Amino acid sequence: MSKLVIVESPTKARTIAQYLGKNFLIESSYGHIRDLPKSELGVDIERDFKPKYVIPTKARKTVSTLKKKAKKAKEIILATDEDREGEAIAWHLIHALKIPEEKTKRIVFHEITKKAIEKALKNPRKIDIDLVDAQQARRVLDRLVGYKLSPFLWKKIYYGLSAGRVQSVALRLIVDKEREIEAFKPQEYWIIEAGLKKAQNGTFIAKLIKQDSKAIPKLGIKNKKQANEMVKNLKGATYKVLDIKKTEKKRSPFAPFTTSTLQQEAARRLGFTAKQTMMIAQQLYEGVEIEGKSTGLITYMRTDSLTLAKNFLSQAQKFIKEKYGPKYSLAKPRIYKTKSKLAQEAHEAVRPTSPERTPESTKQYLDKNQYKLYTLVWQRTVASQMAEAIIDSLTCDITAKNYIFRATGSTIKFDGFLKVYGLPFKETILPPLAKDEILELIKLIPSQHFTQPPPRYTEATLVKTLEQNGIGRPSTYAPIISTIQERGYVEKKERKFYPKEIGILVNDLLVKHFPEIVDIKFTAHMEEDLDKIAQDKIEWVPVVREFYEPFAKHLEKKEKEVKKEEVAHEKTKEKCPKCQAPLIIKWGRFGRFLACSKFPECKYSRPLPEEEEELKKLQEEYKKEKCEKCGSPLTVKRGRYGYFLACSKYPECDFTKPIAKKVGVKCPKCKKGDIIEKKSKKGRLFYACSQYPKCKFVLWQRPTGEKCPKCKSLLIWAGKDKVKCSDKECDYTKSLESEND
């Protein structure tokens, strides 16, 4: 009789199978095999919130197979992931398969390597019921909020909306940020720079920093009049070097990745969503086919620890010395301490399973995105154990009458960890200067600027804010962000999150009537309680009861108090053409529309005037379009994601196609098509030729409509006030802010 090892995924099973002998049978549970039912609350509130678990239809065949194999096995080893979710899966397997406790062992490992698995097999343990309880408490709390609060939104706005214990807080952050931006009032300020030249060397720029020995603050020069007066005062001034300071600055590498920082950096550097990052990291952890063997490339990717294993640290130092030389290595390993009080230090940071497995050596076995993410993890980890970079910094103060200008320069003296983990660094070289040296003024440059509103959240900054505020945990950031987009509450444009109208309406309703649900501190406190449950400091049932009982009473009260008319209806002066009752603006699945206030007695409705106008334009534009299936005329219709074309013979013919959103730019490749806005399968905006597949021109950033003065390619937006050339070989960039100065 063999020993049965159960893991969550078939990939993980294949990788582990290579390290175990013939006496082991490795099977996959394909994730969770029990959950709360979808069709009902599934929580017995009267009996201490006892969850009602069912085996979902898709898992029944797997459970049946595992039951048969478990009966024949002499020992069952549960090797699911080491976090709460993995512990809960193992616990559910025991109950669903009815496995005797004496036959069952639980093992955990941080990486899928032969050494780690053999060590885990020698040190089995029992199910950690505290971790299971923490996961159950989270699941029950989320179910209670979702299944109780969502119907409230259906009644007060429209059917199909949802609220969540954590997703609603994330939505609030985005809405609050938008309100900050709307309320922001830009302030004008001016900067004065001097273009200076040394007698026999190149030119450089110095910025005005002091007047009458007093520092000029950022908003110190408030308008053009003040700037011009200073320029006038400087007329005829002698520019003389007052002081030169040379300093050597050391720059330390970043800590290895936690789940949060991995998601942030993958978003910043690679443009990956949190969901995409976690999916690829899971693949790298579970194993990739390398030379005929499934090989785990990174350690477990759900972690908040900065710890690195001692054997990895010694391997890293050996590798760094041999690959880059002794000056790049450290005398002793660099140890990082996490700032989070709740971090699980028994875990490790996200790291490669071996420093010697370089990205170049794995490239041929990985797809494009796997290679990018593995490279990022490898570089970050190896760099964390390399010597500091040394930067030579030069500061030069220059007097001109009663003013002082400052020029700064910096060069890399020793690249250290930057050799592996490159960071944006632009060297600024000043010509050799001496104290009391007289410089030639080429030009004084006054420039107008305005203070900028706070930036909208990106995937990286939203994850960072959630983590800083203690909202959610490493494994929850990706689903939180995906959920608020899938619900249609927010949308992502140019990598930034914008709240949609319905998102703002839902948020405002929750903030007004359920402030504790969307309160950041309250949500963070709840996460702390879940951590305490995992640490066996408190019981899970009292935590749930303490939340639910006042919540249920408050919900009952609000069900009666809040009227749909006050929340989601807007009065108009128009009369219904059918019954002469007032028309109101209502919300539906596809947005706002005009409807009779006497509904359901009168069912008259129509689009809003601005949408009617848009509909007419689209109908005119596409009136000659024919169905690609049956040749009938196509008609413009509106759905959840906006306008689309549908066959006029529906339901006999169900052909549909999306309406392309033009950006007002002709395709530079085929000269025939228009550049249109499209969405990838993963929801990312991109811009392509309307003649696809005949023309495959594509851009990942919105074109401006202008051409590059250097190479004539299209210019694209590279930020709020910056454009760059779309040709990767061309280095042309332009700051619009400086152009407007």
Side-chain angles (χ1 to χ4, degrees):
M1 287 175 76
S2 59
K3 296 178 181 181
L4 176 65
V5 180
I6 305 176
V7 296
E8 307 97 314
S9 82
T11 307
K12 189 174 174 181
R14 280 195 299 274
T15 308
I16 289 172
Q18 295 167 161
Y19 304 126
L20 299 174
K22 293 178 182 177
N23 294 330
F24 292 89
L25 176 66
I26 295 89
E27 292 291 334
S28 168
S29 72
Y30 294 88
H32 276 280
I33 48 94
R34 288 204 314 174
D35 198 4
L36 299 174
K38 284 187 176 180
S39 57
E40 58 181 289
L41 180 64
V43 177
D44 192 337
I45 294 162
E46 303 303 321
R47 295 176 61 200
D48 286 340
F49 304 95
K50 187 179 179 183
K52 175 187 175 183
Y53 291 116
V54 297
I55 297 169
T57 307
K58 65 177 184 178
R60 285 174 190 169
K61 189 177 177 183
T62 302
V63 170
S64 177
T65 304
L66 290 174
K67 264 185 181 178
K68 288 173 187 173
K69 292 183 178 179
K71 279 181 184 177
K72 294 176 184 177
K74 68 174 183 181
E75 189 175 275
I76 295 122
I77 299 163
L78 303 173
T80 50
D81 289 343
E82 58 176 324
D83 59 4
R84 294 177 199 169
E85 207 71 24
E87 204 71 22
I89 292 173
W91 181 76
H92 283 300
L93 280 165
I94 288 173
H95 288 272
L97 306 182
K98 297 180 171 59
I99 306 170
E101 196 174 330
E102 62 275 8
K103 276 180 71 175
T104 310
K105 288 179 180 176
R106 168 81 170 116
I107 65 168
V108 293
F109 36 81
H110 305 310
E111 60 186 30
I112 306 178
T113 59
K114 192 174 193 301
K115 189 176 179 182
I117 291 162
E118 286 175 348
K119 185 181 176 183
L121 285 168
K122 288 176 185 175
N123 298 282
R125 62 168 173 80
K126 291 184 177 181
I127 293 288
D128 187 333
I129 201 64
D130 297 320
L131 289 180
V132 175
D133 284 347
Q135 193 274 343
Q136 283 197 108
R138 177 186 289 281
R139 192 77 186 91
V140 167
L141 281 167
D142 290 345
R143 176 55 67 100
L144 289 171
V145 173
Y147 270 56
K148 293 290 184 178
L149 203 49
S150 295
F152 175 80
L153 296 178
W154 304 346
K155 292 172 192 170
K156 308 308 174 186
I157 304 177
Y158 67 82
Y159 181 81
L161 295 171
S162 77
R165 189 180 60 85
V166 182
Q167 76 172 56
S168 298
V169 180
L171 173 62
R172 181 178 185 174
L173 288 170
I174 293 167
V175 173
D176 285 352
K177 182 70 73 177
E178 197 66 23
R179 295 240 163 89
E180 275 185 66
I181 293 166
E182 287 169 2
F184 179 81
K185 291 180 181 176
Q187 286 181 269
E188 181 184 5
Y189 68 98
W190 285 69
I191 288 172
I192 298 173
E193 293 175 313
L196 299 168
K197 185 180 180 183
K198 186 176 162 131
Q200 297 173 346
N201 286 286
T203 60
F204 63 97
I205 297 289
K207 181 182 172 184
L208 179 63
I209 62 159
K210 286 183 182 180
Q211 180 183 17
D212 298 325
S213 300
K214 290 180 182 177
I216 298 170
K218 181 182 176 179
L219 305 178
I221 309 171
K222 298 187 184 302
N223 49 50
K224 189 175 184 178
K225 186 182 176 184
Q226 284 184 14
N228 286 344
E229 193 149 330
M230 287 178 167
V231 170
K232 189 179 174 183
N233 291 343
L234 282 159
K235 198 170 182 180
T238 299
Y239 290 78
K240 185 170 80 170
V241 177
L242 174 69
D243 190 26
I244 298 169
K245 284 182 184 173
K246 289 182 181 178
T247 53
E248 188 180 271
K249 293 180 180 176
K250 290 185 177 180
R251 189 164 186 176
S252 298
F254 294 113
F257 284 127
T258 61
T259 305
S260 165
T261 54
L262 175 62
Q263 290 175 6
Q264 290 172 50
E265 199 69 355
R268 269 194 290 265
R269 287 196 169 203
L270 309 176
F272 289 178
T273 63
K275 186 177 181 180
Q276 190 180 7
T277 298
M278 295 309 287
M279 180 187 72
I280 299 165
Q282 185 89 32
Q283 294 163 1
L284 296 173
Y285 164 69
E286 291 183 346
V288 176
E289 205 76 19
I290 293 179
E291 295 178 352
K293 288 184 177 180
S294 187
T295 307
L297 293 182
I298 66 169
T299 53
Y300 192 54
M301 61 286 151
R302 292 186 179 92
T303 176
D304 46 17
S305 172
L306 298 175
T307 305
L308 293 174
K310 286 181 181 178
N311 66 320
F312 178 85
L313 290 169
S314 58
Q315 288 171 16
Q317 284 311 307
K318 183 173 179 271
F319 172 81
I320 292 163
K321 275 181 188 174
E322 290 173 359
K323 176 83 174 172
Y324 304 108
K327 65 180 180 178
Y328 286 94
S329 67
L330 301 171
K332 60 180 183 178
R334 186 181 282 113
I335 306 298
Y336 293 88
K337 289 186 178 178
T338 182
K339 293 174 185 175
S340 170
K341 293 176 185 176
L342 300 168
Q344 299 174 55
E345 291 299 323
H347 295 182
E348 275 196 76
V350 185
R351 63 162 174 85
T353 50
S354 169
E356 293 178 6
R357 195 175 285 116
T358 63
E360 292 73 29
S361 68
T362 63
K363 190 172 185 179
Q364 61 182 305
Y365 307 107
L366 306 177
D367 68 31
K368 184 173 71 175
N369 288 341
Q370 286 173 338
Y371 173 71
K372 284 180 181 178
L373 194 67
Y374 180 66
T375 300
L376 193 65
V377 172
W378 186 90
Q379 288 177 340
R380 177 81 163 225
T381 316
V382 171
S384 76
Q385 296 306 311
M386 291 177 74
E388 296 168 318
I390 301 171
I391 314 293
D392 272 343
S393 183
L394 185 69
T395 304
C396 178
D397 285 355
I398 298 143
T399 59
K401 291 188 175 178
N402 58 326
Y403 296 95
I404 294 177
F405 288 79
R406 178 169 288 172
T408 56
S410 56
T411 55
I412 297 174
K413 185 177 182 180
F414 172 60
D415 55 0
F417 77 93
L418 295 175
K419 194 171 190 72
V420 167
Y421 197 69
L423 293 169
F425 184 87
K426 190 176 179 182
E427 288 192 322
T428 309
I429 300 170
L430 294 178
L433 298 167
K435 193 174 179 182
D436 297 329
E437 185 175 359
I438 304 300
L439 303 167
E440 179 190 340
L441 174 69
I442 298 166
K443 189 182 180 183
L444 274 175
I445 312 154
S447 57
Q448 182 189 37
H449 299 262
F450 291 91
T451 53
Q452 296 298 308
R456 289 181 176 87
Y457 286 111
T458 61
E459 195 101 16
T461 56
L462 185 56
V463 166
K464 188 176 182 180
T465 304
L466 290 169
E467 184 186 37
Q468 285 174 340
N469 286 287
I471 300 162
R473 282 296 175 262
S475 60
T476 64
Y477 301 136
I480 290 167
I481 293 169
S482 293
T483 300
I484 57 175
Q485 290 179 86
E486 287 161 9
R487 300 296 183 206
Y489 293 159
V490 304
E491 61 182 333
K492 203 196 282 188
K493 297 184 212 170
E494 303 294 332
R495 296 191 182 181
K496 294 181 179 71
F497 289 113
Y498 291 74
K500 297 176 89 170
E501 269 191 296
I502 188 61
I504 293 169
L505 182 64
V506 167
N507 174 73
D508 291 352
L509 180 65
L510 294 176
V511 168
K512 185 176 179 180
H513 298 290
F514 297 90
E516 73 285 355
I517 295 294
V518 287
D519 181 73
I520 292 167
K521 288 181 181 176
F522 175 82
T523 308
H525 173 70
M526 189 64 72
E527 293 292 348
E528 287 172 9
D529 280 349
L530 292 171
D531 286 327
K532 286 175 185 175
I533 294 166
Q535 294 158 10
D536 194 23
K537 290 180 180 177
I538 54 175
E539 296 294 317
W540 77 270
V541 173
V543 169
V544 175
R545 183 178 288 113
E546 186 185 348
F547 164 78
Y548 181 73
E549 288 180 352
F551 167 71
K553 286 178 186 174
H554 188 65
L555 178 62
E556 189 179 352
K557 181 185 170 194
K558 290 296 175 181
E559 290 269 15
K560 296 170 185 172
E561 282 182 5
V562 180
K563 306 296 178 191
K564 184 171 185 174
E565 296 76 29
E566 296 169 7
V567 175
H569 291 179
E570 191 180 322
K571 293 178 182 178
T572 73
K573 293 179 181 178
E574 281 194 71
K575 299 286 184 186
C576 173
K578 274 190 173 182
C579 69
Q580 297 305 304
L583 287 181
I584 55 172
I585 296 171
K586 293 177 74 174
W587 277 91
R589 286 185 305 144
F590 305 145
R592 300 196 308 157
F593 63 98
L594 279 167
C596 183
S597 56
K598 290 284 185 181
F599 180 85
E601 290 83 10
C602 176
K603 295 182 179 177
Y604 176 81
S605 69
R606 73 166 194 261
L608 294 174
E610 57 268 29
E611 286 171 4
E612 276 188 321
E613 193 62 37
E614 188 180 355
L615 186 60
K616 283 177 189 173
K617 283 180 186 175
L618 289 170
Q619 284 169 338
E620 182 62 29
E621 188 176 346
Y622 293 98
K623 65 182 179 183
K624 293 179 182 177
E625 290 273 332
K626 300 289 181 185
C627 175
E628 292 170 24
K629 265 190 177 181
C630 69
S632 302
L634 289 178
T635 183
V636 179
K637 292 196 172 184
R638 191 174 183 216
R640 184 178 174 184
Y641 300 106
Y643 293 104
F644 65 97
L645 292 170
C647 184
S648 55
K649 286 287 179 73
Y650 179 84
E652 289 83 13
C653 178
D654 61 358
F655 176 79
T656 63
K657 75 173 185 179
I659 289 176
K661 189 175 179 181
K662 295 177 184 178
V663 298
V665 180
K666 279 283 179 189
C667 176
K669 190 175 181 182
C670 69
K671 314 287 190 220
K672 292 179 182 177
D674 294 295
I675 300 296
I676 57 172
E677 191 178 280
K678 299 185 86 174
K679 269 191 179 180
S680 70
K681 287 178 182 177
K682 290 167 182 167
R684 185 178 168 191
L685 275 178
F686 68 98
Y687 304 88
C689 180
S690 58
Q691 295 289 308
Y692 179 86
K694 289 180 184 176
C695 177
K696 294 183 178 178
F697 180 80
V698 66
L699 294 169
W700 284 101
Q701 284 153 298
R702 192 182 184 92
T704 66
E706 296 179 13
K707 289 189 176 178
C708 173
K710 283 179 82 174
C711 70
K712 304 304 176 189
S713 298
L714 279 178
L715 291 178
I716 54 176
W717 291 101
K720 187 176 178 183
D721 297 306
K722 193 178 178 184
V723 296
K724 68 177 183 180
C725 183
S726 58
D727 187 341
K728 290 179 182 177
E729 302 298 316
C730 179
D731 61 356
Y732 177 79
T733 61
K734 179 173 72 171
S735 172
L736 300 185
E737 188 182 75
S738 60
E739 190 183 69
N740 294 330
D741 293 341

